[in-house]
């Protein structure tokens, strides 16, 4: 937690969860009183949250501080993944589903560590699970992939309709295994590393990142903080239709300016309509 505060890289996408974690940290580690924690959290929000309004966040901050004593902090050095669990995941024979199953397994084991009576349940939201699994998908495909894992007998859903928890059915209780997972930020990449794909740890933040060059050492975020980092300049492209030059991103594959691109799309659409009408019998 101290390293995160010093690096100034806290995830504020879920602000209430961040405040809850900070409240527990200041209560158990720093030994602050409730009033002092509230003041510290207000200062934190003022420094890090662009839309911060003390009136809007007072109730939420006080709630986090009051709940902090009920949920002690726990330190998990990591979880073991066994040979049998890896073999079961590999038999899925689908790269995306394998990453999803591996992510659910790691989350279930982590929750088992926090609560001995958890029984392999995962309560994370769908979007959070897919983010950790490094899978980009649509809302429809999220449910489809969960359903496929259920058909394979690897997971089950809660009986209650309003309960979206998922239970992992192939998790084993073990003190040791083949792989020891210590970083939960990119579980999908952890699985790819197990499969032998070329990933490295960022030299600054230790997050896994694909190795795309021999001298790559940093993730994209840390590379921008490096004093020797120089962003790629925009490139100039000449439109193939009107011959006007325009600026574009370094990785852009555009060959037309905006006006010509729009005109080109309209022409293609007219050709499609004409081709469709020509197939309709008179």
């Amino acid at each position: 937690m101290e390293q995160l505060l010093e690096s100034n890289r806290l995830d504020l996408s879920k602000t209430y969860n961040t405040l809850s974690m900070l409240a527990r940290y200041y209560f158990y580690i720093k030994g602050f009183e409730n009033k002092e924690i509230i003041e510290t959290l207000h200062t934190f929000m003022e420094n890090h949250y662009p839309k911060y309004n003390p009136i809007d966040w007072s109730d939420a901050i006080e709630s986090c501080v009051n709940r902090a004593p009920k949920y002690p902090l726990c330190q998990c050095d990591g979880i073991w993944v066994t040979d049998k669990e890896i073999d079961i995941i590999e038999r899925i024979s689908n790269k995306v589903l394998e990453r999803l199953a591996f992510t659910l397994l790691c989350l279930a084991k982590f929750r088992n560590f926090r609560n001995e009576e958890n029984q392999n349940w995962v309560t994370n939201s769908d979007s959070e699970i897919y983010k950790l699994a490094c899978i980009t998908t649509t809302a429809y495909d999220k449910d489809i992939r969960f359903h496929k894992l259920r058909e394979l007998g690897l997971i089950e859903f809660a009986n209650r309709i309003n309960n979206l928890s998922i239970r992992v059915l192939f998790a084993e209780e073990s003190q040791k295994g083949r792989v020891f997972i210590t970083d939960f930020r990119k579980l999908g990449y952890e699985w790819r590393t197990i499969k032998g794909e070329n990933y490295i740890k960022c030299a600054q933040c230790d997050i896994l990142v694909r190795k795309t060059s021999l001298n790559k050492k940093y993730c994209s975020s840390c590379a921008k903080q490096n004093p020797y980092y120089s962003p790629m300049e925009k490139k100039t492209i000449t439109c193939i239709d009107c011959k006007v030059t325009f600026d574009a991103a370094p990785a852009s594959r555009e060959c037309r300016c905006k006006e010509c691109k729009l005109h080109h799309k309209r022409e293609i659409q007219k050709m499609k309509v004409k081709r469709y009408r020509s197939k309709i019998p008179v």
Side-chain angles (χ1 to χ4, degrees):
M1 194 67 208
E2 292 176 355
Q3 292 178 352
L4 285 175
L5 288 171
E6 291 175 0
S7 63
N8 197 25
R9 298 184 63 178
L10 282 167
D11 182 10
L12 291 177
S13 58
K14 295 184 177 180
T15 311
Y16 186 85
N17 291 347
T18 303
L19 290 173
S20 177
M21 182 173 58
L22 287 172
R24 292 157 61 198
Y25 167 76
Y26 288 122
F27 181 82
Y28 285 102
I29 305 301
K30 295 296 186 181
F32 288 1
E33 297 293 335
N34 284 9
K35 184 178 180 180
E36 192 175 3
I37 298 175
I38 291 174
E39 293 176 355
T40 305
L41 293 183
H42 276 292
T43 303
F44 170 82
M45 290 292 290
E46 186 177 356
N47 295 333
H48 294 83
Y49 198 72
K51 299 179 181 179
Y52 167 70
N53 186 326
I55 298 176
D56 296 337
W57 284 97
S58 292
D59 291 341
I61 289 176
E62 290 180 9
S63 173
C64 291
V65 174
N66 293 332
R67 289 165 56 90
K70 300 179 182 179
Y71 302 96
L73 288 172
C74 62
Q75 181 175 349
C76 179
D77 295 329
I79 54 100
W80 284 101
V81 181
T82 65
D83 289 314
K84 183 178 179 181
E85 291 166 341
I86 292 177
D87 292 340
I88 291 174
I89 296 175
E90 287 179 336
R91 286 201 293 269
I92 298 176
S93 299
N94 182 297
K95 292 183 177 180
V96 176
L97 291 181
E98 287 176 9
R99 296 204 303 275
L100 180 58
F102 179 78
T103 300
L104 289 170
L105 173 67
C106 293
L107 292 175
K109 289 199 165 190
F110 175 73
R111 292 193 62 82
N112 291 346
F113 174 84
R114 294 185 60 187
N115 181 6
E116 295 180 354
E117 299 180 357
N118 181 61
Q119 298 181 348
N120 302 326
W121 284 98
V122 177
T123 59
N124 303 67
S125 64
D126 293 354
S127 57
E128 186 177 4
I129 292 172
Y130 275 90
K131 182 179 179 181
L132 295 173
C134 306
I135 298 172
T136 303
T137 185
T138 62
Y140 174 78
D141 288 335
K142 287 179 183 178
D143 296 333
I144 293 296
R145 291 190 172 105
F146 282 136
H147 181 68
K148 288 181 179 179
L149 291 181
R150 182 187 181 187
E151 286 184 331
L152 293 171
L154 301 181
I155 64 172
E156 68 177 1
F157 303 133
N159 292 329
R160 290 185 179 181
I161 298 176
N162 61 344
N163 191 335
L164 301 179
S165 300
I166 297 173
R167 187 181 186 185
V168 179
L169 301 177
F170 64 99
E172 291 186 316
E173 292 185 8
S174 60
Q175 298 297 326
K176 287 189 177 181
R178 188 198 300 185
V179 181
F180 190 64
I181 303 299
T182 60
D183 193 337
F184 287 74
R185 290 175 294 176
K186 295 287 185 180
L187 290 172
Y189 290 170
E190 294 282 354
W191 174 252
R192 286 182 165 180
T193 303
I194 294 173
K195 297 290 288 182
E197 296 187 33
N198 199 4
Y199 282 80
I200 60 171
K201 286 193 174 183
C202 173
Q204 185 168 330
C205 67
D206 284 337
I207 196 169
L208 279 176
V209 59
R210 183 185 290 275
K211 188 175 182 179
T212 55
S213 61
L214 294 175
N215 59 347
K216 185 169 185 176
K217 295 182 180 180
Y218 301 98
C219 64
S220 57
S221 299
C222 292
K224 294 177 182 178
Q225 298 175 6
N226 192 309
Y228 300 102
Y229 171 77
S230 56
M232 297 178 66
E233 298 180 356
K234 293 183 178 180
K235 64 179 181 181
T236 302
I237 299 175
T238 302
C239 177
I240 62 174
D241 292 338
C242 66
K243 307 303 179 183
V244 173
T245 58
F246 60 94
D247 293 333
S252 175
R253 301 179 64 180
E254 296 289 347
C255 59
R256 293 181 172 87
C257 62
K258 290 184 179 180
E259 291 76 10
C260 293
K261 184 179 179 180
L262 180 60
H263 177 73
H264 181 67
K265 284 185 177 180
R266 288 173 178 171
E267 291 298 320
I268 291 178
Q269 185 64 24
K270 288 180 182 179
M271 291 177 61
K272 287 182 179 180
V273 173
K274 185 177 181 180
R275 190 181 303 132
Y276 173 76
R277 288 177 177 174
S278 64
K279 293 180 180 180
I280 299 177
V282 180

